[in-house]
Amino acid sequence: MRGRLAFCLCLMTTTVIAQLSIGEALPEVSLNGDRGGLVAGGQWSSQSLKGKVHVLMYVDPDQSKLNSHVEEALSKRKFDRDQFATVAVINMAATWKPNLIIDSILKSKQEKYPNTVYVRDLKKILVSDWGLKDDSYHVLALGADGRVLFSHPDALSETQVQDLIAKIEGALAQN
């Protein structure tokens, strides 16, 4: 019985440690080669999330429409691209769809939306290293210093969208 309790406590502690906290800096992650990388080609590093306010969307391709209302709300704001950037990281391991088909879609999206950086995560690295929700659509906002301002998995409510925008605007005002 003690062994089971210790095991459960260990699992709970591991889960808590892996989750992101508001105000916390993200652990450094690099995606390249068999781990993923930029859709346009080459390595992607979380170090690129510093210097500007960022929104990072970690998306299961099967859930790509879940937060389209968030994407629209951000697009309407027309934030200054010298201070604000968006990154879409696609959780390629979360879907049954072939990578070749997803890659083709992502390349056309990268051309259509050149202000968004598209990244492929082939091995669920951001799930394991950052504690992002698997098989879902996780939205993060990060300050220019790389610290987490907002983190929410699944569909955002309108109140949460307004909170996200307020956090972005607050961080932009500090720059």
Side-chain angles (χ1 to χ4, degrees):
M1 185 67 165
R2 279 188 191 175
R4 286 184 189 174
L5 180 60
F7 177 73
C8 288
L9 287 173
C10 182
L11 281 179
M12 287 172 35
T13 303
T14 303
T15 302
V16 171
I17 290 170
Q19 298 302 311
L20 298 176
S21 297
I22 302 302
E24 174 183 315
L26 292 172
E28 188 172 340
V29 169
S30 180
L31 299 176
N32 196 23
D34 67 345
R35 292 168 53 105
L38 296 168
V39 168
Q43 176 178 332
W44 177 83
S45 169
S46 59
Q47 289 298 315
S48 67
L49 299 173
K50 293 184 179 175
K52 293 182 180 184
V53 175
H54 282 83
V55 168
L56 183 143
M57 299 176 177
Y58 190 68
V59 184
D60 172 344
D62 300 326
Q63 302 292 324
S64 63
K65 303 289 186 213
L66 189 64
N67 279 313
S68 58
H69 64 292
V70 177
E71 296 168 19
E72 290 172 23
L74 292 171
S75 179
K76 286 180 185 175
R77 300 307 290 203
K78 304 210 183 296
F79 293 118
D80 179 357
R81 287 294 176 173
D82 290 333
Q83 297 181 21
F84 176 78
T86 52
V87 178
V89 181
I90 311 308
N91 182 354
M92 304 286 280
T95 184
W96 57 269
K97 296 174 184 169
N99 285 355
L100 286 174
I101 292 172
I102 297 169
D103 284 341
S104 176
I105 292 167
L106 291 175
K107 285 177 184 172
S108 67
K109 280 190 170 224
Q110 184 69 82
E111 290 172 11
K112 186 174 180 181
Y113 303 106
N115 290 326
T116 298
V117 174
Y118 287 88
V119 180
R120 298 176 315 131
D121 181 351
L122 297 172
K123 307 254 182 188
K124 300 186 182 202
I125 304 299
L126 299 189
V127 172
S128 62
D129 290 11
W130 290 357
L132 299 187
K133 187 168 181 185
D134 195 10
D135 301 315
S136 188
Y137 191 131
H138 199 124
V139 178
L140 291 176
L142 307 165
D145 60 358
R147 294 188 183 277
V148 178
L149 303 171
F150 179 93
S151 176
H152 186 78
D154 302 318
L156 273 66
S157 69
E158 286 307 314
T159 301
Q160 290 165 324
V161 173
Q162 294 310 311
D163 183 39
L164 170 65
I165 290 171
K167 297 245 166 91
I168 293 167
E169 288 173 341
L172 290 171
Q174 292 178 354
N175 286 349

